[in-house]
Amino acid sequence: MPIQKGLCLEASGLPSLGEDERVYASEDAVSAVTGETDQGRGKLVLTTRRLVWISEVDSGTRSFAIDLVDLVLHAISNDGSAHPRPCVYCQLKGETKRDPDAEEQEDTEEETEDEIEIPELRLVPEEHSPTKLHEIFQRLCEVVAMNPDPDDEDEDEDGEEGRGEFGDELIRAMMNGGIPPELEAEAAGEGEEDEDEDEELGPESAETAANSVDENVGASSGGRGAS
């Protein structure tokens, strides 16, 4: 299950961290809505491995954590028909719903969309400002970029299309308003190759091209004179 309950909290109120895990950002007064259930207000903590939400009302049962690799989509939502307030909308990895009384499905049988349950999460800051919403979204983007989906990496190794050699760096750089230096260097290298190809023509090739032009002009002039 992507949403993990039963958090271990430190005396400081922050979640216990795993090996090589650290707190990256935190925000107070953020409401969490899981599916259609409003969990109330709490503290959002983004670590280098997880999204953690700690309830102000009942930290023991309502608080939860989500591994960032289980986050498949996150975006700023202003759709009032889906939620009355602007929020950061997230989709988590889905789980297949199976009927325990039904016969086991064959491995070759494809699952339909109706059999997949996709958990949803909305993070709603109490502060009603686009700046605060964008700040939370930006921090979330940054920690998600630190945790690429291993399934995507396997597909790239198998020859499937990915984001390319500079994909992750390009995405992060575009978010910060720049272009990765490696990408600029590669583009400059391609430009130098084009210049080298032009230089390979040399004086002899230029003279041959000039003679060809003179011959064409001469033939055209001769034609007009004959008429």
Side-chain angles (χ1 to χ4, degrees):
M1 182 70 176
I3 299 179
Q4 305 157 14
K5 297 280 190 174
L7 297 182
C8 293
L9 302 178
E10 302 289 351
S12 62
L14 294 175
S16 298
L17 303 177
E19 187 177 355
D20 297 329
E21 183 183 19
R22 62 183 178 83
V23 173
Y24 187 80
S26 64
E27 186 69 38
D28 292 322
V30 177
S31 296
V33 181
T34 53
E36 301 296 328
T37 305
D38 189 342
Q39 302 291 347
R41 202 173 71 164
K43 183 184 188 71
L44 173 66
V45 180
L46 298 176
T47 79
T48 51
R49 293 285 180 268
R50 296 176 295 165
L51 181 159
V52 181
W53 183 80
I54 303 169
S55 172
E56 292 181 359
V57 178
D58 187 354
S59 60
T61 59
R62 292 194 182 186
S63 302
F64 59 82
I66 299 168
D67 290 337
L68 293 170
V69 293
D70 289 331
L71 217 64
V72 296
L73 183 150
H74 51 288
I76 292 177
S77 172
N78 293 294
D79 184 1
S81 63
H83 192 273
R85 289 172 53 190
C87 61
V88 175
Y89 171 78
C90 304
Q91 279 188 359
L92 314 180
K93 284 186 177 178
E95 293 188 334
T96 304
K97 295 189 292 184
R98 297 182 182 275
D99 184 352
D101 298 327
E103 296 181 358
E104 293 185 0
Q105 297 178 347
E106 296 182 2
D107 294 338
T108 56
E109 183 179 350
E110 295 184 358
E111 297 169 348
T112 63
E113 292 184 1
D114 292 339
E115 294 173 321
I116 302 296
E117 181 179 5
I118 300 177
E120 295 178 325
L121 167 68
R122 288 179 172 84
L123 301 171
V124 189
E126 186 174 89
E127 181 180 331
H128 295 186
S129 76
T131 301
K132 178 59 64 178
L133 194 63
H134 185 271
E135 180 183 336
I136 294 174
F137 176 70
Q138 179 79 12
R139 300 289 88 78
L140 182 58
C141 287
E142 291 166 359
V143 291
V144 167
M146 299 177 191
N147 296 267
D149 191 332
D151 293 338
D152 291 343
E153 292 181 351
D154 292 341
E155 287 182 358
D156 290 344
E157 291 176 0
D158 292 338
E160 298 290 338
E161 288 189 12
R163 285 181 288 188
E165 181 180 356
F166 300 102
D168 290 333
E169 292 185 24
L170 180 58
I171 291 172
R172 287 194 292 270
M174 289 175 66
M175 289 167 55
N176 295 322
I179 298 177
E182 296 88 348
L183 197 58
E184 283 189 321
E186 180 178 318
E190 291 177 355
E192 291 174 359
E193 290 179 3
D194 293 340
E195 292 177 1
D196 292 341
E197 290 177 0
D198 293 339
E199 292 175 357
E200 288 176 0
L201 290 175
E204 294 181 0
S205 299
E207 182 179 354
T208 301
N211 291 338
S212 176
V213 171
D214 291 341
E215 289 174 1
N216 291 335
V217 171
S220 299
S221 300
R224 289 195 296 272
S227 59

